[in-house]
Amino acid sequence: MIWEILEAAIFPGALFILAVSLFYEWIDRKFYARLQNRVGPHLAGPFGILQPIADLIKLLSKENIVPAAADRFFFTFTPIMAPTLILLACMFLPIAGLRGLISFEGDLIVLIALLSIYTIIVYLAGEGSNNRLASIGATRAALQLIGYEIPLTLALLSAAISAGSLSVAGVLEAQIERGIWFIAGPQVIGFAIFVVAAQAEMERVPFDIPEAEQEIVAGWEVEYTGARLALFRLSKDLELFLLSGLGATVFLGGSAGPVISGLEPLLHAVYFILKSAVVLLIFSIVRAVFARLRIDQVISFSWRWLMPLAIILIILTEVLA
């Protein structure tokens, strides 16, 4: 019982996930800066590796301002729930083994459901601010996240159908049994859909419409300061970790790889981090290559192109399975 608590709290649990999430933010910012011929973080710690932690501490020390017209319940509740939901979803990822801290048949559906609830939290956070710009950002976020959540789900389900399991561990075990990653077959289409949809779910360029600073200042986050804003920023780091790790697990074999007796948890964690970092770099490349789209282009692309492609992939997977 004590060992299970330590696993959930330290490794490969909450503290480990939080630390790697901040590390992934540093990789993303550093690589993105290099692609744009900039230096990126370089002052806090060696090569700026402590910059995400410094930014988090700085935000936590800032004043918490609550607008007089804001809904105080949602204004306080949503910043707490956002990182909590994403951290819970991360527990389903096989990090230091071939199964997550939470693992059962159908857990992939639960993970997707948690992402859906996060969409609701984002919308309530914007509307709870009672600010015109935040309301516009919240509406954009709801339209975008719901629109891209469906092809994201279909891409993951196509891999699940191919594996014959609705659990994250089952999808990973199917790749181990076949001796080949799903990305090496027809699921490469699913991986491409996943990358695009995940980029939109994280509201990253070219899908940063809900927070377009040139148009609506900071979108649904515009009224949040101090610890509340820090929690939302932390939830974005956790979401980056979650989707990078989920993509690596479902399409790249996740934590699977050669192991040495006695070092299995460490080696599985290393494989997981390396493969999820590859997915993270792909996210960064997409972010650097494309410019921001208009909201109508974002929605149109999802419903007219990405959704039909995801449905075709489901049918193709059923035929080949």
Side-chain angles (χ1 to χ4, degrees), residues 9 137 162 255 272 281:
S162 183
S255 59
F272 177 86
L281 294 179

Side-chain angles (χ1 to χ4, degrees), residues 92 94 98-100 103-108 159-160 162-178 182 249-250:
F92 291 93
L98 301 181
R99 306 184 74 84
S103 183
F104 53 87
E105 186 59 35
D107 60 14
L108 182 61
S162 183
S165 174
L166 281 174
S167 74
V168 179
V171 174
L172 177 58
E173 289 168 2
Q175 295 175 81
I176 297 172
E177 291 173 2
R178 300 177 190 183
F182 278 163
T249 301
V250 173

Side-chain angles (χ1 to χ4, degrees), residues 143-162:
L143 287 171
Q144 177 174 301
L145 298 184
I146 292 172
Y148 282 85
E149 188 176 290
I150 299 173
L152 178 73
T153 300
L154 292 177
L156 294 173
L157 289 181
S158 66
I161 291 170
S162 183

Side-chain angles (χ1 to χ4, degrees), residues 127-268:
E127 289 295 346
S129 300
N130 200 17
N131 175 289
R132 285 178 296 176
L133 298 178
S135 181
I136 294 172
T139 304
R140 287 183 175 188
L143 287 171
Q144 177 174 301
L145 298 184
I146 292 172
Y148 282 85
E149 188 176 290
I150 299 173
L152 178 73
T153 300
L154 292 177
L156 294 173
L157 289 181
S158 66
I161 291 170
S162 183
S165 174
L166 281 174
S167 74
V168 179
V171 174
L172 177 58
E173 289 168 2
Q175 295 175 81
I176 297 172
E177 291 173 2
R178 300 177 190 183
I180 187 171
W181 299 346
F182 278 163
I183 196 174
Q187 295 304 324
V188 66
I189 302 173
F191 180 71
I193 295 172
F194 175 85
V195 168
V196 174
Q199 195 83 349
E201 287 291 307
M202 294 185 287
E203 302 172 32
R204 290 158 59 92
V205 178
F207 304 105
D208 60 335
I209 298 298
E211 303 171 23
E213 64 273 9
Q214 294 94 335
E215 303 169 21
I216 49 176
V217 189
W220 59 271
E221 290 182 317
V222 67
E223 293 287 6
Y224 289 91
T225 60
R228 290 181 174 87
L229 182 58
L231 289 173
F232 276 128
R233 295 294 171 86
L234 183 60
S235 70
K236 290 182 180 297
D237 289 341
L238 288 169
E239 190 177 22
L240 184 61
F241 173 88
L242 172 64
L243 292 174
S244 297
L246 185 59
T249 301
V250 173
F251 299 103
L252 301 179
S255 59
V259 295
I260 300 172
S261 180
L263 295 177
E264 290 91 344
L266 177 61
L267 290 175
H268 282 308

Side-chain angles (χ1 to χ4, degrees), residues 28 31 35 183 191-192 195-196 199 204 244 252 275-290:
D28 180 46
F31 186 63
L35 291 174
I183 196 174
F191 180 71
V195 168
V196 174
Q199 195 83 349
R204 290 158 59 92
S244 297
L252 301 179
K275 292 177 184 178
S276 56
V278 170
V279 180
L280 168 63
L281 294 179
I282 294 173
F283 287 149
S284 299
I285 292 171
V286 173
R287 181 185 174 199
V289 168
F290 295 96

